[in-house]
Every structure is written in C-alpha cells, then in structure tokens.
Amino acid sequence: MAAAERRMFPDVRPRLCALAYGDTLEVAVGTGLNLPHYPAGVRAGRLTGIEWSPGMLDVARRRALDLGVDADLRAGDAQALDLPDASYDTVVCTFSLCAITDHEAALAEMVRVLRPGGLLLLADHVESTAWPIRVAQAAAEIVSVPLQGEHFRRRPMVWVEENDLLVEQHERSRRGVIEWVVARPRNEERSTERAR
C-alpha cells in the first residue's frame, strides 16, 4: 500500500487529515497510516480509531506510540459503531470503504456519530473515468471481491449525493481512480445555523 500511495496519491492523506478538528473518529484506522497527518490538537488526546482487524490494530497502536500520538485505538465494526449519536466533530475514513462489506451501512453510521455541523472526510480508490481502466477494474473484482472482499468500483460520493450531504470539497485524480470528498450532513448544518 505504501509503495502504491507514493506513486499514485502521495498527497491525499495529508491534505484530507489536515482538515480534521475537535473530537475525531477514524473508521477503519488500519495500521495507522493517517496518524502523522492529523493536526496537533487532534493528536493530543482527541482521536479515536476503530479497526476490526486485531493485527492491524496492534500495528496502529505501535505506530501511535512511536509518533507520540495520544489516541484511543480500539476494536470495532464500521457497520455498527459502538458509539453514541452526535459524539464527534470529524469522522474520517480513507481507502477502507472498498473493503467493508456493507459500505452504505458504514457511511450511515459515520453520519450518525457526527455532531451538528460535523465534518465527514472520505477518500478511496473508485471506478475510473476512463473506460479501459473500468474494464480492468471489473475484471479484477471477479477475483478480488470473493477472495478478499475488495471492491474497485464503489463510489462513496454517490452515497453522499443520494443522502443529501453538503459537499464542501470534492476531487478526483489519476484518471478518476482516486476520489476524496469533504461533506457535512445538510440537516445538521441547518440546525447549527438556527442555533446561532
């Protein structure tokens, strides 16, 4: 993963994670590749990371220790977060929705735990804008989905649009294969404006 990132999308994690603020939840924290990219205020005890794989979670905990990041890294299921409603200012998920069985349930859970006005930060590899690459992605999924649960053609942005989130930033690169989005739930935005 690290080699592919250096070549294909070296700036996505730093740019996206730099936007996090306040109490932050990272869903599918994996081995903790995002940890060095969060702002200092988030890294100082305001970060929670959820990961279903015990092996990856162990690596993330070691990485946090080495980086001096004060984070609560715990086992959990992205599709059914064991967290209260409206408990985080920012929710982050990078390059993981492609491997979560029910990615739409996971996205709904991320929105559920956001506070009013909260920020949803997503990045993933998605269906390409170039047809030859789309053909290759479809062929790869014949093997990758049943063997590893890895989807190459999902588009979290479609779910964001269908669920009427307010998109603040959106970008696709590398022939449309890499996509990231910064969004807020519209109803939460309106409730925040009313409270002002």
Side-chain angles (χ1 to χ4, degrees):
M1 184 69 174
E5 282 196 32
R6 280 194 299 271
R7 187 168 63 254
M8 288 193 64
F9 46 99
D11 62 336
V12 173
R13 290 183 195 273
R15 287 175 65 196
L16 198 67
C17 293
L19 300 174
Y21 70 94
D23 295 319
T24 298
L25 171 67
E26 183 175 343
V27 175
V29 69
T31 60
L33 293 177
N34 287 336
L35 293 175
H37 304 301
Y38 287 111
V42 171
R43 290 182 295 161
R46 301 192 74 181
L47 178 63
T48 302
I50 301 294
E51 174 57 48
W52 70 269
S53 166
M56 286 188 170
L57 196 54
D58 286 343
V59 173
R61 286 175 175 149
R62 286 195 300 273
R63 180 169 274 139
L65 190 62
D66 291 345
L67 293 169
V69 175
D70 180 9
D72 176 8
L73 303 177
R74 59 173 93 158
D77 181 356
Q79 302 159 124
L81 295 172
D82 186 19
L83 298 164
D85 294 354
S87 48
Y88 291 93
D89 300 301
T90 306
V91 176
V92 180
C93 187
T94 60
F95 304 102
S96 299
L97 284 167
C98 52
I100 295 172
T101 305
D102 189 344
H103 69 291
E104 292 186 348
L107 285 161
E109 281 289 273
M110 292 178 211
V111 172
R112 178 185 66 79
V113 301
L114 274 174
R115 289 181 179 140
L119 200 58
L120 180 64
L121 307 175
L122 304 172
D124 225 315
H125 60 79
V126 299
E127 185 173 50
S128 175
T129 53
W131 74 263
I133 297 174
R134 286 198 303 273
V135 170
Q137 288 173 317
E141 281 189 347
I142 294 169
V143 176
S144 68
V145 172
L147 290 182
Q148 300 172 317
E150 179 75 18
H151 297 259
F152 293 100
R153 298 181 300 153
R154 285 181 172 169
R155 291 259 341 263
M157 181 64 181
V158 172
W159 186 93
V160 166
E161 291 173 334
E162 288 174 352
N163 286 273
D164 199 31
L165 275 70
L166 176 68
V167 176
E168 295 189 347
Q169 294 181 53
H170 172 240
E171 187 174 306
R172 289 183 83 172
S173 61
R174 303 296 190 216
R175 302 193 76 176
V177 173
I178 304 302
E179 183 170 46
W180 64 276
V181 60
V182 177
R184 296 180 196 271
R186 285 184 189 272
N187 61 339
E188 293 183 353
E189 177 207 24
R190 285 195 293 269
S191 67
T192 301
E193 287 174 352
R194 282 196 302 268
R196 289 180 186 157

